[in-house]
Amino acid sequence: MLMTQPFLPALLTDLYQFTMSYGYWKAGRARHRACFHLFFRRAPFGGAYALAAGLDSALDFLSALRFDSDVTDYLRSVTGSDGRPIFEDEYLRFLRTEPLDLEIDAVSEGTPVFSNEPLLRVVGPMWLAQIVETPLLNIVNFQTLIATKAARVRQAAGPGGKVLEFGLRRAQGQDGGLSAARAAMIGGCDATSNALAGKLLGVPVKGTHAHSWVMSFDSEEEAFETYVKTQPNNTILLVDTYDTLEGVRKACAVGERLRERGHELAGVRLDSGDLGALSKEARIILDAAGFPNAQIVASSDLDEYEIARLRADGAPIDVWGVGTRLATGGDQAALGGVYKLAAIDDGSGWRRCLKLSSTEIITTNPGIQQVRRWRDGDGTMRADGIGDVTESALAPVEYLVGQTNHRERFALDPAWRAETLLEPVWRGNEPLARTSCVKAIAARARAQLASLPEAHRRLDAPEPYFTGLTPALAETKATMIANVRERATARKG
């Protein structure tokens, strides 16, 4: 968002959402009820799961949604290839006066989620449910991607390591930096360098100084000495401006004088070079100088794989500052979530919809859906099942049907307990009670991930987690596919 311009949430969508909405209005279908599901087809980063995030931000967006005169005046100015307006004034009056009535059910933020299962279910008039597609995807896709990356980095850092989110300067724009910080905290980061995120989200912020501070003084030691005098309780010193190990020695010398004044050297930061070898040498120097509690902070284009490699090599790094590869998603630029129509009601009752493709993973699941998760007696996650909402939540399900070509069956233990994942979060034109505290969501995410078996959380070659269809939905889908193909064959004949 350009800070100098007014923010009009209703225009944060693709133009084709308005052209379709207008088309529904012209065809007399604008008020038909529709059900859309937001989901992704493949888990990011080659993993087996994603961590749901962005819901609270999406609800904030919807709370600000208005089709006021600023919005409709702009839409009136949009023209087609002949230079004439695309939208009629009567449609623009419809936008200004029509109630904004939606029903949204969603997976709680901080929940592990899997391919093809809905993160959000949106039910509402066709004209409106279509327009909100793009912003919902924009918000949920990005934050889910970054929260998942952060969870993987957190896992690589190990139980004793701390992770700081350092990505603002490399993030995708102003809001991208804030959204990335929020999602990173949900995924497991301990603090962020983003001061605005600290203010708005109530999360810890961390930061000391950059190379420019050292370079602005006549000597590195003078820079360190001046800094600890100004910040005696924030004394992580960046030591690699000129010579890293010599910088560590100078930090120790400054630390001794700092100690005489009643404060302690908090640590040193390594931002370049062979972090493994340098951290080992730095640890030796710090310990020999009497600073065994001084921490070693590492940065420099880190991600989960590099952190795991360094830890496996025995690098004595205590804190990991992760920037570009976290705040941007690193090796994966987008989650690839989609928003698909699954049912429509023209006033005569709900009709299930299905998109068919020769690529099986792109064929959608029909009907208004709910997701159930089965856990064993220890609370460990065992399987997820997608079913129609008309199926009773209390009805026993003996097995789930796989969504791949071989259609394997997954037997469910009768002793396992099931829980529903999609819960009401929005009714009418306002949100329901929700958890906005990022710290609480992050704590929930840690607990939820701990209940997912390690085999599904591995960074490399994780075992797939079973997500399938209930037998009833699998049969409905198979029948619909057969009917579509039969009609297509009949038309060809």
Side-chain angles (χ1 to χ4, degrees):
M1 177 179 77
L2 296 176
M3 295 300 185
T4 57
Q5 299 294 322
F7 180 49
L8 302 175
L11 293 178
L12 188 68
T13 193
D14 294 302
L15 181 62
Y16 73 75
Q17 308 292 11
F18 280 112
T19 61
M20 286 190 288
S21 172
Y22 174 63
Y24 296 138
W25 177 79
K26 287 285 285 184
R29 300 165 63 87
R31 294 190 178 99
H32 290 182
R33 303 288 285 177
C35 173
F36 289 85
H37 296 107
L38 188 157
F39 60 96
F40 59 87
R41 296 188 176 107
R42 293 182 179 86
F45 311 115
Y49 74 93
L51 191 65
L55 174 61
D56 199 69
S57 300
L59 298 181
D60 283 342
F61 171 87
L62 292 172
S63 296
L65 188 65
R66 300 287 186 277
F67 294 90
D68 55 21
S69 58
D70 284 342
V71 173
T72 55
D73 286 349
Y74 172 74
L75 292 175
R76 184 177 292 109
S77 73
V78 178
T79 58
S81 56
D82 60 358
R84 297 179 181 180
I86 291 177
F87 305 111
E88 297 177 33
D89 282 348
E90 188 61 31
Y91 168 69
L92 300 179
R93 282 193 289 272
F94 172 84
L95 290 182
R96 288 196 300 270
T97 58
E98 192 71 5
L100 305 183
D101 179 20
L102 292 172
E103 296 179 10
I104 302 177
D105 294 70
V107 174
S108 297
E109 291 192 87
T111 301
V113 287
F114 305 94
S115 58
N116 293 310
E117 59 186 34
L119 280 65
L120 271 73
R121 182 177 70 224
V122 179
V123 177
M126 196 73 185
W127 75 270
L128 178 58
Q130 190 74 72
I131 288 174
V132 300
E133 171 184 2
T134 299
L136 290 179
L137 285 170
N138 174 274
I139 295 167
V140 174
N141 271 348
F142 182 67
Q143 290 201 35
T144 298
L145 180 78
I146 303 306
T148 307
K149 188 70 167 180
R152 291 167 61 83
V153 169
R154 168 77 271 165
Q155 179 180 337
K162 291 188 175 181
V163 179
L164 309 180
E165 185 273 313
F166 277 1
L168 178 57
R169 64 185 60 194
R170 304 284 176 78
Q172 319 293 18
Q174 298 168 79
D175 180 67
L178 185 60
S179 295
R182 180 182 189 275
M185 295 300 297
I186 289 173
C189 288
D190 296 281
T192 176
S193 65
N194 188 331
L196 182 59
K199 163 68 174 172
L200 297 180
L201 305 176
V203 297
V205 291
K206 296 290 183 182
T208 54
H209 68 83
H211 295 109
S212 55
W213 172 270
V214 177
M215 295 161 63
S216 70
F217 289 85
D218 291 336
S219 71
E220 189 172 42
E221 192 160 350
E222 181 189 2
F224 291 166
E225 183 66 43
T226 305
Y227 188 81
V228 300
K229 285 180 179 178
T230 63
Q231 296 270 298
N233 61 344
N234 188 28
T235 55
I236 298 286
L237 299 177
L238 180 59
V239 295
D240 74 325
T241 305
Y242 305 117
D243 180 294
T244 300
L245 297 182
E246 187 59 28
V248 177
R249 295 185 184 95
K250 291 175 181 175
C252 290
V254 170
E256 290 173 359
R257 295 191 289 274
L258 181 66
R259 181 176 283 169
E260 292 172 359
R261 299 193 292 270
H263 298 280
E264 279 294 312
L265 176 66
V268 297
R269 178 159 73 96
L270 313 176
D271 191 50
S272 61
D274 185 338
L275 297 181
L278 290 172
S279 64
K280 292 174 184 177
E281 290 296 324
R283 185 75 271 161
I284 292 171
I285 295 169
L286 289 166
D287 291 350
F291 297 101
N293 296 322
Q295 294 186 319
I296 296 176
V297 181
S299 46
S300 184
D301 286 334
L302 295 172
D303 63 10
E304 66 269 43
Y305 301 108
E306 182 64 8
I307 292 171
R309 185 192 69 78
L310 287 165
R311 289 190 64 229
D313 191 44
I317 296 170
D318 305 289
V319 182
W320 308 88
V322 188
T324 304
R325 297 184 184 180
L326 171 54
T328 66
D331 51 348
Q332 179 159 343
L335 177 66
V338 296
Y339 182 92
K340 295 299 181 182
L341 180 66
I344 192 165
D345 181 5
D346 61 3
S348 59
W350 285 102
R351 172 177 62 84
R352 296 181 179 92
C353 303
L354 173 142
K355 180 193 183 302
L356 186 59
S357 172
S358 57
T359 303
E360 186 176 25
I361 196 172
I362 296 179
T363 297
T364 60
N365 294 320
I368 305 174
Q369 298 157 33
Q370 178 60 273
V371 184
R372 276 194 266 181
R373 174 161 294 167
W374 278 265
R375 297 178 183 270
D376 64 19
D378 295 326
T380 301
M381 294 167 50
R382 293 302 180 190
D384 285 11
I386 305 166
D388 195 282
V389 291
T390 58
E391 298 179 53
S392 170
L394 300 178
V397 178
E398 297 180 357
Y399 63 90
L400 299 173
V401 180
Q403 301 183 71
T404 57
N405 282 323
H406 50 285
R407 297 280 184 263
E408 75 273 24
R409 290 188 176 190
F410 183 90
L412 298 169
D413 190 318
W416 293 349
R417 60 180 178 84
E419 60 190 28
T420 55
L421 296 191
L422 294 171
E423 299 295 336
V425 297
W426 185 281
R427 290 294 184 268
N429 63 354
E430 61 184 12
L432 305 180
R434 66 187 198 263
T435 301
S436 299
C437 175
V438 172
K439 292 180 180 178
I441 298 170
R444 184 179 191 281
R446 286 195 296 273
Q448 289 289 310
L449 284 170
S451 70
L452 179 65
E454 191 277 334
H456 307 305
R457 289 185 283 117
R458 287 198 300 257
L459 300 181
D460 293 304
E463 291 184 13
Y465 178 87
F466 192 90
T467 58
L469 306 180
T470 62
L473 182 55
E475 182 177 351
T476 296
K477 181 176 181 178
T479 300
M480 289 183 68
I481 291 173
N483 289 340
V484 169
R485 288 174 174 162
E486 184 178 337
R487 289 195 298 272
T489 301
R491 284 195 297 270
K492 289 180 181 178

